Amino acid sequence: MISMIQFSDVLAWIHQLLSSCMAPWLVFLIELVVASVAAVVALLVCVIIMVYMERKVAGHMQLRHGPNRVGWHGVCQLFADIIKLLLKECFTPTRADKLLFVVAPVLSLCVSLLALAPISWGPGLVLWNTNIGVLFVTAISSMGVIGILMAGWSSNNKYALMGAMRSGAQIVSYELSAGLSIVAIVALAGTLNTGGIIESQANGWWILKGHLPAFFAFIIYIIASTAECNRAPFDLAEAESELTAGYHTEYSGMQFGIFYLNEYINMGVVSMVASTLFLGGWQPFYLPFDFGWAHAFNDIMALKFMETWPAWISWVSLAWPLVWFFGKLFLIIFFMMWFRWTFPRLRIDQLLKLEWKYLLPLSIVNLVIIALIVVLGLHF
C-alpha cells in the first residue's frame, strides 16, 4: 500500500472544508450525491470503453477491423448508436403488462448499480464501507433475475418468456458455484469487508497466496460469472437463432438500450469483485520472497521511492491504485470477451449439466480444501 497521501486524507480534507461552512445534514447530502454521481459516471466511462473494446476485440479475433468509420478508428460509433436509440420510439405491445414492461429494465439497472456501493476503488475510496460488503454484493446481484423474469413475462411473447425462464434457471444455478468461490476467499481473508479483503493482500494476492485451490476458485468464479451475465457461450437467454432476442425481444429504443447497458455494467461488477477477491484490488503486484531484489521490485510496484521526493509528487501517486484496479478490471473483461468469440454456444442441457455435475461438486471440494488450508495455516 502506498504510504503517502491517501484518498481517505483527501476525502477528510473535503469533509472538513464543507463542514466549516454548511450544516451537517447538507454536508451529508452533498457528499452522498457527489459520490454517487462520480461512481456512476466512472462506471459509464468504463462501459463506453468496454463496448468499443468488445467491438475491436471481436473484429481482430475475426480478422477484420471492427468499427472504423465514425470518428478516429471508430471511437464515436457508440455515441452514434446511443443517439439512434434515443431517437427511436419505445414501443409497448398491445397485450403486454404495461407497468411491469416499463419497470423491468429500470429494476435491472438499479440492481446492478446498487452492487457498486461496497466496492473499494482505492485506499479509502468506497461509497459504503460496511463489514458485510461481499455479502451485500452477492445478495443484491441475485435480485437482477427478477427484472429479467418481469421483462419476459410482461412482454406477452412466447420467445421472451422462454428466454426469461432460461435466464432464471441459468442465473440461479451458477450463483451457487460463484458464491462458493467467493466464500473460499472470505475464509482465507477472514472478513466480508471489501477493503479488508484487499488489505489482506498487501503482501501478495490470494490467487497466489492461496495455492492451487484459490486459483481453481478463480477459474470457477470467472466461468460462473460469465454465465450469470448471460454472456456467450452461455447466452441461451438471448439465443438469436432460437429465440430472436430472448427476454428483450419486444423492447426497442432506450428500453432495449438499458438492457444493453445493464449487460456491460454486470460485466464490470463481476470483474470488480474478481479483482477485489483474487487479484488484490488496488494493491500492486507483490513478490512473496525474502530476497533483496524482490524487496526492491515490491518497492517499485508500490512507488515507495516517491516517499523521498517533493511533497507535490504524492498527489501523482494517488492515481497509482486506480491504475492497478482498472488494469485488472479490463484484463478480466478481456478474458470474458475472449470466451465469447472463441467458444460455441452451449445447449441448455449442456449448460445446466456443466454447473450441476461439474462446477458445483468441484466448488464444494475446493472449499473444503481451502478450509483445511485456513485451519492448518498453510497459506502464505
Side-chain angles (χ1 to χ4, degrees):
M1 186 189 304
I2 298 172
S3 58
M4 292 170 283
I5 293 179
Q6 304 290 320
F7 283 106
S8 55
D9 301 331
V10 177
L11 296 176
W13 176 76
I14 295 174
H15 178 75
Q16 292 175 0
L17 182 64
L18 293 175
S19 300
S20 62
C21 57
M22 296 181 184
W25 66 270
L26 186 57
V27 172
F28 174 77
L29 181 61
I30 291 175
E31 291 177 345
L32 184 64
V33 171
V34 171
S36 302
V37 170
V40 172
V41 169
L43 188 64
L44 290 178
V45 171
C46 289
V47 169
I48 291 172
I49 297 173
M50 278 190 278
V51 175
Y52 179 74
M53 176 180 170
E54 169 124 60
R55 291 174 172 179
K56 282 297 185 181
V57 168
H60 288 293
M61 287 189 175
Q62 297 174 349
L63 299 180
R64 56 186 177 82
H65 293 292
N68 61 351
R69 291 290 185 271
V70 186
W72 182 75
H73 285 275
V75 294
C76 296
Q77 182 65 54
L78 174 64
F79 300 101
D81 293 339
I82 293 174
I83 294 172
K84 176 190 70 175
L85 290 174
L86 287 172
L87 294 177
K88 282 192 171 184
E89 179 184 1
C90 293
F91 175 78
T92 302
T94 304
R95 296 186 179 182
D97 188 318
K98 293 179 175 55
L99 176 61
L100 296 183
F101 188 84
V102 173
V103 169
V106 178
L107 177 63
S108 297
L109 181 62
C110 291
V111 167
S112 300
L113 293 176
L114 277 173
L116 291 173
I119 300 294
S120 180
W121 303 61
L125 196 62
V126 58
L127 289 175
W128 184 34
N129 190 18
T130 175
N131 58 355
I132 58 167
V134 175
L135 180 61
F136 178 84
V137 172
T138 54
I140 287 295
S141 299
S142 64
M143 294 176 60
V145 69
I146 298 176
I148 293 174
L149 292 174
M150 286 172 57
W153 184 84
S154 64
S155 297
N156 195 26
N157 179 296
K158 62 182 180 181
Y159 297 113
L161 180 59
M162 189 176 297
M165 297 301 292
R166 281 185 177 184
S167 179
Q170 179 175 322
I171 292 175
V172 170
S173 298
Y174 279 86
E175 273 181 352
L176 297 174
S177 295
L180 290 174
S181 300
I182 291 172
V183 170
I185 301 302
V186 168
L188 288 170
T191 179
L192 287 167
N193 180 272
T194 55
I197 293 174
I198 292 175
E199 290 171 1
S200 69
Q201 301 175 77
N203 61 345
W205 303 345
W206 279 123
I207 195 173
L208 301 176
K209 293 197 300 179
H211 306 294
L212 282 178
F215 179 76
F216 289 147
F218 174 73
I219 298 298
I220 292 171
Y221 176 82
I222 293 298
I223 295 173
S225 297
T226 304
E228 284 193 80
C229 293
N230 290 322
R231 296 276 302 178
F234 306 103
D235 59 337
L236 270 298
E238 308 170 16
E240 291 85 357
S241 58
E242 305 167 25
L243 305 177
T244 61
Y247 59 89
H248 49 64
T249 297
E250 299 291 352
Y251 284 90
S252 59
M254 272 313 294
Q255 289 178 331
F256 168 78
I258 291 174
F259 275 120
Y260 187 75
L261 172 67
N262 189 57
E263 177 182 333
Y264 285 94
I265 292 177
N266 286 334
M267 283 179 62
V269 170
V270 299
S271 300
M272 288 177 186
V273 173
S275 172
T276 298
L277 296 176
F278 299 96
L279 303 179
W282 39 263
Q283 295 280 8
F285 183 69
Y286 184 90
L287 291 176
F289 304 121
D290 193 19
F291 300 121
W293 61 270
H295 292 303
F297 176 82
N298 294 334
D299 290 344
I300 292 173
M301 290 293 100
L303 301 182
K304 292 286 186 179
F305 58 89
M306 284 189 176
E307 295 178 2
T308 59
W309 289 21
W312 65 269
I313 203 70
S314 298
W315 293 94
V316 178
S317 67
L318 278 176
W320 195 232
L322 295 178
V323 171
W324 278 105
F325 182 79
F326 286 102
K328 298 168 188 176
L329 169 68
F330 283 105
L331 178 64
I332 296 171
I333 289 171
F334 170 75
F335 280 112
M336 295 178 73
M337 293 176 180
W338 194 354
F339 297 158
R340 175 175 182 176
W341 302 106
T342 303
F343 299 108
R345 180 187 298 136
L346 300 178
R347 297 196 312 265
I348 186 64
D349 60 313
Q350 295 172 328
L351 182 143
L352 295 177
K353 181 179 179 180
L354 173 65
E355 164 61 15
W356 292 103
K357 286 191 175 182
Y358 298 102
L359 290 185
L360 184 59
L362 285 174
S363 299
I364 295 173
V365 172
N366 196 55
L367 180 59
V368 172
I369 295 173
I370 285 184
L372 291 175
I373 290 175
V374 173
V375 171
L376 299 177
L378 299 179
H379 55 80
F380 291 118

